[in-house]
Amino acid sequence: MSTAPPEITELTIDEKPWPEIELPPTDLPYDDGEPMESPWHFGNAALLVAGYVAARGGRRDDYFVGANMFLYYSTRQVRDQDYKGPDVFIVKNVDGAKKRLSWIVWDEDGRYPDVIVELLSPSTEREDLGPKKRLYEQTFRTPEYFCCAPEVERLLGWRMAASGVYESIAPDERGWLWSEELGLWLGPWQGTFLGEEHTWLRFYAPDGELVLLPDEAALRRAEAERQRAEEFAARVAALEAELSRLRGGEPPA
């Protein structure tokens, strides 16, 4: 005795037995219109970006550095409208010349920041040292995380250990912190930037030399040229005086 095969009916799209896939959103805000906490916060974010670009010789072809920029990593985050991003972050080995209004992880092959710097303030410190630190450690798996208080009164850092948790980065005798990811020191610098006199957080080369911005490098070169010109003029004057003495004449006026 044979049985007829079950009748096959055609399903409409809405009746398909597979679950609905939620596609990532594409129209995402990139600016909340809110200024940074203070001129120090705004200036130091800009200074860190400019300093890292200078440390890389002005090239942007194999890294991205962002400041005060939204960073999207999940659809839940978008639904909750939790749009805040790190103050400064660096992603290595990506096309830094690509135009971006925000960093969207699912559009960047799943890439998260390699280094994050948060500039602390009374209104953000609890968040930066608590929930954000856990997010960067447990979700982003960001290898290095740094926090700096205004005027560099405190500088803290953590590095991802083999155990998968953050361990504190010990400062050297100067109070500087070493970034293995960037191959640079982070430490305080007293000076003027954007017309503001402060103690700023800046990058230093492995040998301890300050990473100069292009304008600073040009001024240093001009100063070195001026010193060389003055030294040359002094040597010429000394030679002329010696020649005049040897000839028994009067020294030149």
Side-chain angles (χ1 to χ4, degrees):
M1 179 177 177
S2 62
T3 59
E7 183 179 355
I8 298 175
T9 60
E10 183 177 353
L11 297 175
T12 67
I13 293 297
D14 293 336
E15 296 173 330
K16 297 297 184 187
W18 50 75
E20 183 179 353
I21 298 175
E22 182 181 9
L23 296 176
T26 56
D27 185 16
L28 297 169
Y30 59 88
D31 185 5
D32 57 10
E34 296 181 4
M36 295 191 75
E37 195 81 10
S38 72
W40 180 86
H41 289 81
F42 173 83
N44 218 145
L47 185 53
L48 287 170
V49 171
Y52 188 67
V53 173
R56 298 297 301 270
R59 298 181 299 104
R60 288 177 179 259
D61 56 347
D62 63 349
Y63 69 92
F64 178 80
V65 55
N68 196 29
M69 175 187 242
F70 289 162
L71 191 156
Y72 295 98
Y73 60 93
S74 75
T75 54
R76 176 192 57 76
Q77 173 205 14
V78 176
R79 285 196 303 270
D80 294 344
Q81 296 187 4
D82 182 16
Y83 296 144
K84 295 294 186 182
D87 289 328
V88 179
F89 66 94
I90 296 168
V91 188
K92 302 192 301 182
N93 302 316
V94 297
D95 179 9
K98 176 183 173 182
K99 300 299 182 184
R100 299 171 174 91
L101 296 176
S102 55
W103 186 268
I104 305 173
V105 168
W106 55 85
D107 282 344
E108 302 285 353
D109 296 327
R111 290 297 310 277
Y112 287 86
D114 294 291
V115 175
I116 290 175
V117 180
E118 294 285 9
L119 304 173
L120 304 177
S121 68
S123 65
T124 66
E125 181 168 328
R126 184 181 296 244
E127 179 80 8
D128 291 337
L129 299 179
K132 275 193 173 183
K133 181 170 176 280
R134 289 192 294 274
L135 176 70
Y136 301 156
E137 176 189 50
Q138 299 172 12
T139 301
F140 287 20
R141 310 298 294 168
T142 294
E144 290 179 341
Y145 176 41
F146 299 93
C147 288
C148 182
E151 306 294 335
V152 201
E153 292 182 351
R154 281 180 299 148
L155 179 58
L156 308 170
W158 297 268
R159 182 174 295 120
M160 188 68 70
S163 59
V165 299
Y166 275 154
E167 292 184 351
S168 294
I169 300 173
D172 71 353
E173 65 280 0
R174 300 164 295 192
W176 296 6
L177 298 181
W178 175 249
S179 170
E180 290 183 355
E181 290 294 312
L182 305 180
L184 297 168
W185 292 99
L186 288 94
W189 173 80
Q190 179 73 35
T192 301
F193 180 67
L194 298 180
E196 295 275 344
E197 174 76 21
H198 291 287
T199 299
W200 306 97
L201 180 65
R202 293 195 62 172
F203 290 116
Y204 291 83
D207 62 4
E209 285 292 315
L210 179 68
V211 173
L212 298 177
L213 305 183
D215 288 349
E216 292 173 322
L219 286 173
R220 180 167 291 188
R221 288 193 297 270
E223 177 63 20
E225 288 293 334
R226 185 188 64 79
Q227 290 181 354
R228 282 194 291 269
E230 289 179 352
E231 291 170 358
F232 179 75
R235 288 198 298 270
V236 169
L239 286 172
E240 288 178 343
E242 181 64 13
L243 285 172
S244 179
R245 185 188 67 80
L246 291 174
R247 292 171 180 167
E250 292 295 325

